[in-house]
Amino acid sequence: MIDHLEVQTRDVDLLCDFYKTVLEPVGYALKIDDAAKGFGNEERMDFFIVQGEPSSEVHYAFQSCDRKTVDRVYSLAGKKGFTLDREPSLAPHIHPNYYAAYLRDPDGRLVEFVSHSEE
């Protein structure tokens, strides 16, 4: 349903570094490196970063293929010194296989990595 998402930031380079780190395990890479930074995989481009005033009261999630990938994202973020919000865990109140970890990007947005697969 959602074609793409664009977020604004005061520090494009810092935010781009964050997303390069945490999106790599889910198969995304920086595809457009211009005034607007665009991330995608081989099939689509759907996440963009631009200069501007950030909205901090935002929460979005990136789907991961399995729980190991969720764990890897969280570990990489911690090693880079990014803000960890909630460690990877099951959320059975959502559904029995909902496994997610939460980070804060440099602008304070809540960024979730989630797997729906049974392991």
Side-chain angles (χ1 to χ4, degrees):
M1 177 171 55
I2 296 173
D3 183 73
H4 66 276
L5 177 65
E6 179 181 280
V7 297
Q8 295 183 11
T9 184
R10 290 183 199 99
D11 189 334
V12 172
D13 292 333
L14 178 62
L15 199 63
C16 193
D17 182 51
F18 173 84
Y19 283 105
K20 278 198 259 187
T21 300
V22 301
L23 292 179
E24 181 273 327
V26 296
Y28 269 49
L30 182 65
K31 301 287 188 174
I32 297 175
D33 190 5
D34 206 349
K37 309 294 184 186
F39 289 84
N41 59 23
E42 298 306 317
E43 299 170 12
R44 53 184 299 146
M45 289 272 304
D46 53 13
F47 186 72
F48 297 88
I49 297 170
V50 296
Q51 186 75 34
E53 193 62 31
S55 298
S56 61
E57 298 304 316
V58 179
H59 167 200
Y60 43 85
F62 293 96
Q63 188 170 359
S64 303
C65 61
D66 55 33
R67 294 177 189 183
K68 288 180 186 176
T69 303
V70 172
D71 293 340
R72 183 167 175 235
V73 168
Y74 193 80
S75 176
L76 285 170
K79 287 177 184 171
K80 288 274 290 194
F82 296 132
T83 303
L84 306 176
D85 192 277
R86 286 175 260 167
E87 64 185 34
S89 64
L90 283 169
H93 62 284
I94 298 173
H95 71 69
N97 295 317
Y98 197 97
Y99 186 79
Y102 300 83
L103 313 169
R104 293 282 175 175
D105 78 10
D107 290 316
R109 289 176 280 257
L110 184 62
V111 182
E112 177 181 352
F113 287 83
V114 61
S115 170
H116 299 281
S117 68
E118 185 177 345
E119 292 193 45

